[in-house]
Amino acid sequence: MKKLFALLAAVLMIFSLAGCAKSNEPVDTGSTEGDVVKLEGLELQFVPSKDADVIIAGTEGLPELLSAALLEEGYEVPADKINITVGTNYDATGEGLAAGTIDLGWLPGGTYALYSDEVDVILTATRNGLSNDSENPADWNGEANKTLKNGPQVTFYRSLIYAAPTEYGKMLAEKVNNGEELTWDDLNGATWAVQKTSSSAGYIYPTMWLMDNYGKKLTDLQNLTVLDSGYGTAFAQAAAEQVDIIVCYADGRNDYELSWNLPIDQKDETGKQGMGREASIWDELNVIGVTKGIYNDTVAITEAKPEIYNPEFIAAIQNALINVINTEEGQAIFSVYSHTGYAKATDADYDGARQALKVVSE
């Protein structure tokens, strides 16, 4: 709560100087009945790092669980007034939080860093690490190197640069799998599909990978498309051989493994559209680059609404979400984001993300 206590102190000082008799009363956080604070509702929003319909279906039971958990913390919020939506893109969720039209948002670290002047982090996600964390891209390729989500709990993840099964993509993958170094000309000759500029795994860290290895940025590429509709579109374009390179978080192939091989007129059990490929995604979508570690996703809160942006409610929602994810039902809900736990966070935890965003923006 980086600015909250300073703000409250300033408000109390102003009231004191004005001679206000109520200067030491608490900030109004909503209607109360006994020891329970009643809130009319909450607007929750997830970024579209998965297909929107998959997120909505996966989080269907969250309002009931969160309502019950908040009541244990002294806040009454009707489950039918806890609304869950998916942003049209990452920036839309950040902007909604900044404006106060969204109360809580699940933001990647890079997106949070972009909006952190008006939005505050309250939780950091933890997740199961992968069976592979090699910095050598060839170690990620082939069915024998399929990644499993069975590693220890971690607070970071990586982004990978993937070569699609186009003729040009296969050439890039072959060079990497043979231990050859890719040149800038190799990469610049490819068609790329990336995410919005505030996406950590989909833009910021792939840019830093290019800068570290070639002294270039994504914006220096001659054939770059910035997608506005999430990773599902990137995988679909790779499967359709419309692009040579996509970028995604490291367990992206796990999430699209089934849909990769389904007929295009079918959907997998999570609602992902089939992509019509015959061979395994582990053989066809080869890793050609591995980024540095990215600090895990956030749960962030708007600073625009004093009824929720106060120490009492922040403590309550932190505890409530931690308690929810520690249940079997909560684990199933947040598996849509590969989150397996939440830890209380501070704004300073994301100084590295802010630095990365600054480097990319320069």
Side-chain angles (χ1 to χ4, degrees), residues 287-303:
V287 177
I288 59 173
V290 181
T291 75
K292 295 178 179 178
I294 307 168
Y295 211 74
N296 270 355
D297 295 345
T298 75
V299 181
I301 190 169
T302 182
E303 295 181 4

Side-chain angles (χ1 to χ4, degrees), residues 36 49 65 86 142 175 185 273 286 360:
V36 176
S49 56
L65 292 176
V86 179
K175 290 187 70 171
D185 287 340
Q273 195 71 42
N286 278 247
V360 170

Side-chain angles (χ1 to χ4, degrees), residues 16-29:
S16 176
L17 291 173
C20 179
K22 296 183 179 180
S23 62
N24 60 352
E25 291 186 359
V27 176
D28 182 12
T29 59

Side-chain angles (χ1 to χ4, degrees), residues 36-353:
V36 176
V37 179
K38 291 187 175 184
L39 296 178
E40 291 184 0
L42 288 172
E43 291 290 330
L44 315 184
Q45 189 165 103
F46 292 85
V47 296
S49 56
K50 305 285 178 69
D51 296 340
D53 53 352
V54 173
I55 294 173
I56 293 297
T59 58
E60 183 179 6
L62 181 56
E64 289 76 14
L65 292 176
L66 185 56
S67 176
L70 280 170
L71 190 59
E72 292 291 323
E73 299 296 325
Y75 283 83
E76 182 179 331
V77 189
D80 61 356
K81 297 298 183 181
I82 297 178
N83 190 38
I84 296 177
T85 56
V86 179
T88 54
N89 54 57
Y90 291 21
D91 290 331
T93 302
E95 290 166 3
L97 284 164
T101 56
I102 303 299
D103 298 321
L104 295 174
W106 276 252
L107 299 177
T111 311
Y112 169 70
L114 185 63
Y115 292 95
S116 58
D117 284 345
E118 300 165 295
V119 174
D120 209 355
V121 62
I122 58 173
L123 294 170
T124 293
T126 61
R127 64 178 73 205
N128 289 329
L130 300 178
S131 56
N132 187 358
D133 193 43
S134 174
E135 296 183 1
N136 177 13
D139 292 342
W140 295 79
N141 296 331
E143 188 73 31
N145 292 322
K146 174 180 177 178
T147 54
L148 302 175
K149 299 182 181 182
N150 61 359
Q153 289 287 295
V154 293
T155 57
F156 74 95
Y157 63 105
R158 296 183 188 273
S159 176
L160 302 179
I161 292 84
Y162 301 88
T166 61
E167 288 304 313
Y168 196 88
K170 290 177 182 177
M171 180 274 291
L172 297 176
E174 184 177 5
K175 290 187 70 171
V176 167
N177 290 332
N178 288 335
E180 299 178 46
E181 295 286 339
L182 295 178
T183 67
W184 169 251
D185 287 340
D186 289 333
L187 297 172
N188 196 35
T191 56
W192 289 61
V194 300
Q195 302 299 308
K196 298 278 284 187
T197 57
S198 62
S199 170
S200 297
Y203 192 96
I204 296 171
Y205 280 78
T207 291
M208 294 181 69
W209 177 79
L210 284 176
M211 292 175 65
D212 289 342
N213 290 281
Y214 303 97
K216 303 284 188 177
K217 298 181 181 181
L218 285 174
T219 50
D220 293 317
L221 293 164
Q222 63 181 359
N223 296 305
L224 179 72
T225 298
V226 179
L227 302 175
D228 199 34
S229 51
Y231 290 109
T233 301
F235 277 83
Q237 289 190 359
E241 300 184 21
Q242 295 172 344
V243 294
D244 301 314
I245 294 175
I246 65 171
V247 298
C248 184
Y249 49 86
D251 49 334
R253 289 178 297 181
N254 297 77
D255 291 338
Y256 291 92
E257 180 179 13
L258 295 178
S259 59
W260 186 261
N261 296 124
L262 281 178
I264 59 175
D265 60 348
Q266 295 182 21
K267 293 184 178 182
D268 69 10
E269 60 185 11
T270 66
K272 298 186 186 74
Q273 195 71 42
M275 301 182 194
R277 303 298 300 188
E278 293 184 2
S280 163
I281 195 172
W282 306 98
D283 293 328
E284 287 206 290
L285 199 63
N286 278 247
V287 177
I288 59 173
V290 181
T291 75
K292 295 178 179 178
I294 307 168
Y295 211 74
N296 270 355
D297 295 345
T298 75
V299 181
I301 190 169
T302 182
E303 295 181 4
K305 299 172 71 172
E307 63 268 29
I308 62 170
Y309 189 59
N310 58 76
E312 293 78 17
F313 181 77
I314 288 175
I317 193 66
Q318 286 173 323
N319 292 337
L321 284 169
I322 289 171
N323 289 337
V324 166
I325 203 171
N326 285 336
T327 66
E328 184 176 344
E329 298 92 336
Q331 287 281 308
I333 287 169
F334 289 110
S335 67
V336 72
Y337 264 12
S338 299
H339 295 175
T340 56
Y342 288 118
K344 294 181 180 181
T346 65
D347 179 68
D349 293 337
Y350 289 87
D351 285 345

